[in-house]
Amino acid sequence: VTTASEPAATSSGSDSGSTPGLADGSLAVSAATDRPIRVAVVFGGQSSEHEISCLSAASVISVLDPERFEVVPVGIDRTGRWSLLPGVPAVTAGGTLPAVSGEGEEVLPVRSATAPTALLSAVDVVFPVLHGPFGEDGTIQGLLELAQVPYVGSGVLASAAAMNKAHCKAVLTALGFPVAAWVTIHQRQWQESRHAVEAAVEQVGWPVFVKPARAGSSVGVSKVTAPEQLAAALEEAFRHDPLVVVEQAVQPAREIEV
């Protein structure tokens, strides 16, 4: 848990026991010291990994001990609207992945002693389960730092540096860590000088992986084994980010998940 300099503010009120986090129709926090820790699990978001975030949030909530933690599910729809929800949307019977509809009570990601919908005044800690931009890139972490609310995960700098693959590689290289050879390509470079880009990738060596620099998971990622496949892979990556990393494939390789 990354903790800001001051704990989350609290105000008096009694829990209604109906919707998580609500007290007398508001988000006021009980003054009782023996209550479970109130955790806002934030999911959804505006990135292309919206649905995956919802699945991850459901997994997180399923393992939180209800005797120790009171979960406040907060969904962010694709437009950026924050809503208090009764739970995480589930996969439909037809197999459609879950998404935040924004139909719940709108809450504001701020602290306030008087506003009933000021979410960050009503919780003890925030657990961001947001994937991709506006979730893993230091933006929501900066918001929580400004609000002086404790949160789970890496801080602003670590989140931002790790999210941008080009910057992350530069930092690791500067610190002496071995990394796979790579080249960073901006969409404008590809549009204005394709031959120069193709020559730079040729220097990296085949096969390569083409990745959006600031997307998460495997979204927009392609493995390219020959020059004639490069254009399609770059165009796919540019759909998600105007900045792309092309890196040498590590062979043989093992994928290790921590």
Side-chain angles (χ1 to χ4, degrees):
V1 177
T2 302
T3 306
S5 57
E6 295 181 14
T10 60
S11 59
S12 60
S14 59
D15 294 344
S16 63
S18 55
T19 305
L22 292 181
D24 299 328
S26 71
L27 279 170
V29 175
S30 171
T33 58
D34 59 348
R35 62 167 173 77
I37 297 172
R38 186 166 289 162
V39 183
V41 177
V42 183
F43 56 91
Q46 296 174 266
S47 81
S48 57
E49 298 179 80
H50 180 100
E51 295 87 353
I52 306 303
S53 170
C54 294
L55 294 174
S56 297
S59 178
V60 167
I61 291 174
S62 70
V63 296
L64 288 177
D65 184 351
E67 294 187 1
R68 298 178 57 202
F69 303 102
E70 178 187 355
V71 176
V72 181
V74 180
I76 303 177
D77 69 16
R78 295 185 185 280
T79 69
R81 182 181 186 269
W82 294 50
S83 301
L84 185 68
L85 301 175
V88 180
V91 178
T92 67
T96 303
L97 291 175
V100 177
S101 64
E103 295 178 353
E105 177 192 352
E106 185 172 14
V107 291
L108 305 178
V110 297
R111 290 181 66 184
S112 171
T114 57
T117 56
L119 170 69
L120 302 184
S121 296
V123 297
D124 301 307
V125 62
V126 175
F127 197 142
V129 195
L130 298 164
H131 293 273
F134 306 111
E136 294 179 288
D137 57 0
T139 49
I140 190 171
Q141 289 80 10
L143 168 69
L144 296 171
E145 291 279 357
L146 287 171
Q148 299 181 329
V149 176
Y151 58 97
V152 175
S154 300
V156 177
L157 178 59
S159 298
M163 184 68 187
N164 188 314
K165 298 176 180 66
H167 287 176
C168 184
K169 281 179 167 289
V171 170
L172 292 173
T173 300
L175 293 174
F177 289 95
V179 299
W182 89 97
V183 61
T184 304
I185 301 166
H186 194 279
Q187 190 172 23
R188 183 177 61 255
Q189 294 174 292
W190 175 244
Q191 294 169 342
E192 296 177 352
S193 184
R194 291 198 174 201
H195 292 306
V197 169
E198 291 168 346
V201 174
E202 190 76 32
Q203 292 297 312
V204 173
W206 310 100
V208 297
F209 282 97
V210 179
K211 306 177 179 182
R214 294 163 292 196
S217 301
S218 58
V219 173
V221 177
S222 303
K223 184 177 182 180
V224 176
T225 59
E228 58 270 18
Q229 302 170 353
L230 180 62
L234 285 172
E235 294 297 340
E236 172 59 23
F238 287 139
R239 290 180 56 241
H240 304 278
D241 193 337
L243 190 66
V244 165
V245 168
V246 180
E247 66 179 0
Q248 186 180 51
V250 177
Q251 296 178 314
R254 289 186 301 157
E255 182 175 350
I256 300 174
E257 197 168 312
V258 180

